[in-house]
Amino acid sequence: AGSGDVRTPLIPALRRQRQIEDIITKMQDDKTGGVPIRTVKSFLSKIPSVVTGTDVVQWLMKNLSIEDPVEAIHLGSLIAAQGYIFPISDHVLTMKDDGTFYRFQAPYFWPSNCWEPENTDYAIYLCKRTMQNKARLELADYEAENLARLQRAFARKWEFIFMQAEAQVKIDRKKDKTERKILDSQERAFWDVHRPVPGCVNTTEMDIRKCRRLKNPQKVKKSVYGVTEESQSQSPVHIPSQPIRKTTKDDIRKQITFLNAQIDRHCLKMSKVAESLIAYTEQYVEYDPFITPAEPSNPWISDDITLWDIEMSKEPSQQRVKRWGFSFDEILKDQVGRDQFLRFLESEFSSENLRFWLAVQDLKKQPLQDVANRVEEIWQEFLAPGAPSAINLDSHSYEITSQNVKDGGRYTFEDAQEHIYKLMKSDSYARFLRSSAYQDLLLAKKKGKSLAGKRLTGLMQSS
């Protein structure tokens, strides 16, 4: 009876937790005479990985030297109340000495993980249940009420919760049917402990997890679905009785590091991300051969290799020229596009930027024995004092590159290359798209395409 007193000191509570987990581990060990776990055949179905209440009670009496069955049932109920073992027919966490089927909880959901699930976790779980078309996963009345209440409370972030639930459902559908059935029951049992059925005792009001937090109030809080967040605040119930430790310089430094990391995070609404993804898909739809048939024909399914000849040609198609305007990377990865862009830079007397970027890209592919010589050549041509094709670097990048050259490697010019890339992307590339050279090329290809189409139509009509 003493093991059920949640007001006992911290150390005995932790000791009891370890003892319970040792009992559960031995109970599942077949080699040392654990409780027989079996699959039971039911009408038109099978119930996997279950034990009966009688099996559990008998094992406790035999292995823990308990003579009174009532005491064994009481101990089993205390273990079940903590969520280590649960009935599959209902959600009342008690032990019965009969043929009621029970299932062991996965260690992932054990109380030793010190989870204190948030309402957002519970909202994700309930939302996920509504997406699964299974009678055994239908929401009970109290769960439906909780879901409606949470949806009102998290109205602004409900889109995020829905997306999380949807992702969980997609992952679950990839699992084996039997495994999925077991995991569903284990997850539901976890919430039976933390969000119990109305009328049942909530064993987590002052349980081991919260007792342990008294010892370490700054402990990182873990989410059921893997999201970790550092807890900096405590509710009045959890204020430790001992005086709070004074903040040190290391604590301030850690807090500054954490806040700087949060500032650098780029946060977007899910709706904006979805709009961006849709726009990207629509932009590239005509370049996807699975969606838009290749013109004039697909060489992979026919004997016509005209498409390959067009791609190898130095005279780019209108579709290819149009793609250069999608992004700076598109023009850099197209040989003809790079040539056109280089001509434009030569007209602006800044071609050394692209030539430097290409030289650094080529350096990364050089054999190891040639890297040192190539590093020196690039340095002398683009960066050394009095270099014939000097590029414009900021002092910070130049200082880093100067140090890297002393022990040259494939990535010696990484900082300098990134600086030049951003410079070309924000300045030269934008001017290239507005230039008459690119516009004339784009219009010429459109005109050529339309003339070819008219000529083809005329030939068909004459024939």
Side-chain angles (χ1 to χ4, degrees):
S3 60
D5 186 0
V6 295
R7 294 170 296 177
T8 49
L10 174 62
I11 298 302
L14 296 176
R15 188 179 297 118
R16 282 198 306 279
Q17 181 187 19
R18 287 193 291 269
Q19 289 173 347
I20 291 174
E21 292 181 357
D22 287 342
I23 291 172
I24 293 297
T25 302
K26 292 177 182 177
M27 205 178 289
Q28 297 179 77
D29 191 353
D30 292 336
K31 296 180 181 178
T32 58
V35 179
I37 302 173
R38 55 187 181 271
T39 298
V40 179
K41 292 184 178 179
S42 181
F43 180 68
L44 298 178
S45 64
K46 294 181 179 179
I47 306 175
S49 302
V50 294
V51 298
T52 65
T54 301
D55 291 336
V56 174
V57 171
Q58 292 296 325
W59 189 93
L60 291 173
M61 293 178 66
K62 177 181 177 182
N63 290 270
L64 301 183
S65 301
I66 299 174
E67 297 181 359
D68 187 355
V70 175
E71 185 178 349
I73 294 171
H74 177 63
L75 177 59
S77 295
L78 293 174
I79 294 173
Q82 297 295 326
Y84 289 102
I85 188 169
F86 58 90
I88 64 170
S89 57
D90 57 41
H91 305 286
V92 181
L93 300 177
T94 57
M95 181 60 61
K96 299 176 183 177
D97 188 9
D98 55 20
T100 301
F101 291 129
Y102 290 82
R103 186 170 285 145
F104 288 104
Q105 182 60 282
Y108 181 78
F109 292 113
W110 280 3
S112 57
N113 282 305
C114 293
W115 284 342
E116 291 180 43
E118 301 288 335
N119 283 332
T120 51
D121 297 324
Y122 190 45
I124 292 171
Y125 166 70
L126 294 178
C127 190
K128 182 172 68 172
R129 288 260 302 278
T130 63
M131 299 177 185
Q132 295 169 315
N133 187 20
K134 298 173 185 175
R136 61 188 172 83
L137 294 174
E138 286 182 351
L139 296 181
D141 291 341
Y142 79 95
E143 290 175 321
E145 292 174 3
N146 288 339
L147 178 61
R149 191 182 307 112
L150 290 168
Q151 192 167 4
R152 289 193 299 270
F154 296 118
R156 293 184 178 180
K157 60 188 299 186
W158 191 254
E159 188 176 8
F160 167 77
I161 290 172
F162 183 85
M163 296 290 287
Q164 288 284 324
E166 200 171 35
Q168 289 288 325
V169 170
K170 288 180 181 178
I171 294 172
D172 291 344
R173 285 173 181 166
K174 296 178 182 179
K175 296 175 182 174
D176 177 72
K177 183 178 179 181
T178 302
E179 180 189 5
R180 191 165 66 243
K181 188 175 182 179
I182 294 172
L183 290 176
D184 286 341
S185 68
Q186 290 172 335
E187 186 178 18
R188 187 162 186 177
F190 173 83
W191 288 109
D192 285 339
V193 173
H194 294 274
R195 299 292 188 275
V197 178
C200 292
V201 176
N202 189 340
T203 59
T204 66
E205 287 297 335
M206 272 297 290
D207 66 353
I208 289 174
R209 288 171 293 279
K210 296 175 184 178
C211 289
R212 290 185 67 175
R213 195 174 61 189
L214 298 181
K215 186 177 181 181
N216 187 5
Q218 300 300 326
K219 187 172 182 64
V220 173
K221 189 181 291 184
K222 294 174 68 176
S223 165
V224 180
Y225 299 108
V227 181
T228 61
E229 54 185 69
E230 190 157 351
S231 176
Q232 300 293 338
S233 62
Q234 296 174 284
S235 68
V237 178
H238 303 138
I239 295 177
S241 57
Q242 66 270 24
I244 300 175
R245 180 173 61 87
K246 293 184 69 175
T247 304
T248 64
K249 290 182 179 179
D250 288 338
D251 294 334
I252 298 297
R253 290 193 190 100
K254 289 178 182 178
Q255 188 174 11
I256 292 172
T257 303
F258 173 77
L259 293 175
N260 284 334
Q262 297 304 309
I263 291 172
D264 292 337
R265 289 180 61 188
H266 185 59
C267 299
L268 283 176
K269 289 185 177 180
M270 291 303 299
S271 57
K272 295 295 182 184
V273 174
E275 288 175 7
S276 177
L277 181 60
I278 292 171
Y280 177 87
T281 305
E282 291 174 346
Q283 186 180 49
Y284 282 90
V285 67
E286 61 180 304
Y287 298 92
D288 189 337
F290 284 103
I291 301 174
T292 305
E295 294 181 358
S297 65
N298 190 338
W300 295 103
I301 58 176
S302 68
D303 295 330
D304 187 2
I305 60 172
T306 307
L307 178 65
W308 289 341
D309 293 336
I310 292 173
E311 291 296 320
M312 293 175 63
S313 172
K314 291 187 177 181
E315 290 294 328
S317 64
Q318 186 266 341
Q319 187 184 35
R320 193 168 168 185
V321 173
K322 179 183 174 183
R323 187 166 180 167
W324 297 346
F326 289 173
S327 70
F328 187 45
D329 290 326
E330 289 291 347
I331 198 170
L332 287 180
K333 68 184 181 183
D334 189 324
Q335 177 64 52
V336 179
R338 289 199 304 270
D339 292 343
Q340 294 289 340
F341 187 51
L342 183 61
R343 291 195 194 101
F344 171 75
L345 292 178
E346 287 172 349
S347 69
E348 291 197 336
F349 305 101
S350 59
S351 62
E352 66 277 358
N353 289 333
L354 182 57
R355 288 190 287 110
F356 170 75
W357 189 88
L358 293 172
V360 176
Q361 286 294 98
D362 181 66
L363 172 65
K364 297 173 184 178
K365 305 173 186 176
Q366 292 293 320
L368 189 60
Q369 62 269 23
D370 299 337
V371 168
N373 291 335
R374 187 63 183 137
V375 167
E376 183 62 25
E377 290 173 2
I378 294 174
W379 172 261
Q380 292 298 332
E381 182 179 358
F382 297 102
L383 291 162
S389 301
I391 58 174
N392 185 18
L393 276 187
D394 63 284
S395 57
H396 179 69
S397 298
Y398 187 84
E399 184 66 27
I400 293 175
T401 306
S402 301
Q403 294 297 323
N404 291 343
V405 169
K406 296 177 182 178
D407 186 19
R410 287 194 176 96
Y411 301 96
T412 297
F413 302 101
E414 194 76 9
D415 286 275
Q417 186 190 33
E418 184 179 359
H419 177 80
I420 293 300
Y421 173 89
K422 291 179 179 177
L423 185 66
M424 291 191 295
K425 180 179 179 180
S426 62
D427 187 27
S428 303
Y429 174 65
R431 287 203 306 276
F432 171 73
L433 296 181
R434 294 193 301 267
S435 69
S436 58
Y438 177 73
Q439 294 297 329
D440 291 346
L441 189 62
L442 188 62
L443 292 173
K445 293 303 172 185
K446 285 183 178 179
K447 184 177 180 182
K449 184 176 181 181
S450 62
L451 290 174
K454 290 179 180 178
R455 191 179 300 113
L456 179 61
T457 304
L459 288 172
M460 292 176 66
Q461 289 175 348
S462 62
S463 61

